[in-house]
């Protein structure tokens, strides 16, 4: 894992000051959204597995087996793969707060919002061990809303499925030193 402070400093503009830099906790795999996704993924994969067994038993491995094979791959991603995606993101993403911007720095992309925006939601886990900060990026309308708009993006946010059905939500997920993060965000936006 990269040093968050160093990575953030490499993305500073001239005369910009870094106030906080950090990462997600890669050990925190589950969120409240998994209360639905885990049972659903197990049900989906079980159904597809029984279908595959039936196809193999009947010897009909022709073109009719393509759809169950694709559904099997989707099921495996729902059960296992999304957690690998989530851990990878948590190990490679760096979050930063400067006097001008909130940044999400990834291996190939950097996203930002003005730090003065106060349309953010702060969520704490039990015992205040982890903090997530989510900025409201506005709900799309029209065709964008129908094909993976804001509601869909929020459903899959921080699950390892986010980004597959629309843009990723701009958020700092599962940060361990949340008190310092929130203090710096309040300081620069107030």
């Amino acid at each position: 894992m990269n040093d968050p402070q160093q990575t953030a400093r490499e993305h500073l503009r001239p005369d910009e000051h870094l106030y906080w830099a950090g990462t997600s906790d890669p050990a925190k795999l589950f969120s409240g959204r998994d209360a639905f996704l885990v049972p659903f993924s197990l049900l989906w994969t079980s159904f597809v597995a029984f279908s595959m067994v039936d196809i193999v038993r009947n010897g009909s491995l022709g073109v009719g087996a393509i759809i169950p094979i694709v559904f099997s791959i989707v099921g495996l991603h729902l059960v296992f793969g999304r957690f690998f995606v989530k851990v990878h993101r948590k190990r490679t993403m760096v979050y930063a707060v400067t006097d001008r911007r909130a940044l999400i720095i990834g291996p190939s992309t950097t996203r930002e919002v003005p730090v003065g925006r106060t349309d953010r939601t702060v969520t704490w886990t039990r015992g205040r061990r982890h903090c997530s900060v989510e900025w409201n990026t506005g709900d799309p309308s029209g065709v964008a809303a129908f094909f993976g708009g804001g509601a869909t993006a929020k459903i899959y946010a921080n699950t390892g499925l986010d980004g597959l059905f629309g843009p990723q939500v701009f958020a700092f997920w599962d940060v361990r030193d949340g008190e310092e993060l929130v203090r710096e965000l309040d300081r620069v936006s107030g």
Side-chain angles (χ1 to χ4, degrees), residues 56-128:
V56 170
R57 190 177 332 139
N58 293 332
S60 57
L61 292 174
V63 177
I66 292 174
I67 291 176
I69 289 171
V70 169
F71 283 179
S72 296
I73 293 168
V74 169
L76 289 172
H77 183 70
L78 285 170
V79 174
F80 302 110
R82 68 188 183 93
F83 293 107
F84 290 108
V85 169
K86 190 171 180 176
V87 167
H88 172 73
R89 285 182 183 159
K90 287 178 175 242
R91 290 180 187 222
T92 59
M93 295 286 194
V94 171
Y95 304 137
V97 176
T98 74
D99 58 337
R100 300 178 196 164
R101 306 175 288 162
L103 298 160
I104 299 175
I105 304 164
S108 59
T109 61
T110 300
R111 298 185 301 146
E112 65 182 73
V113 296
V115 77
R117 288 180 45 181
T118 57
D119 60 340
R120 64 180 184 268
T121 304
V122 177
T123 309
W124 292 91
T125 59
R126 283 190 198 132
R128 296 177 71 90

Side-chain angles (χ1 to χ4, degrees), residues 1-8 11 20-26 84-96 103-112 158 160 162-163 167-177:
M1 183 186 325
N2 295 334
D3 174 29
Q5 295 284 328
Q6 181 59 36
T7 300
H11 289 81
W20 178 89
T23 61
S24 281
D25 181 0
F84 290 108
V85 169
K86 190 171 180 176
V87 167
H88 172 73
R89 285 182 183 159
K90 287 178 175 242
R91 290 180 187 222
T92 59
M93 295 286 194
V94 171
Y95 304 137
L103 298 160
I104 299 175
I105 304 164
S108 59
T109 61
T110 300
R111 298 185 301 146
E112 65 182 73
N158 196 27
D162 42 339
Q168 287 183 316
V169 173
F170 192 92
F172 294 178
W173 299 113
D174 306 321
V175 175
R176 276 192 216 132
D177 59 340

Side-chain angles (χ1 to χ4, degrees), residues 171-188:
F172 294 178
W173 299 113
D174 306 321
V175 175
R176 276 192 216 132
D177 59 340
E179 296 287 345
E180 184 179 348
L181 166 61
V182 171
R183 184 173 42 254
E184 292 302 328
L185 282 170
D186 288 344
R187 179 169 76 120
V188 295

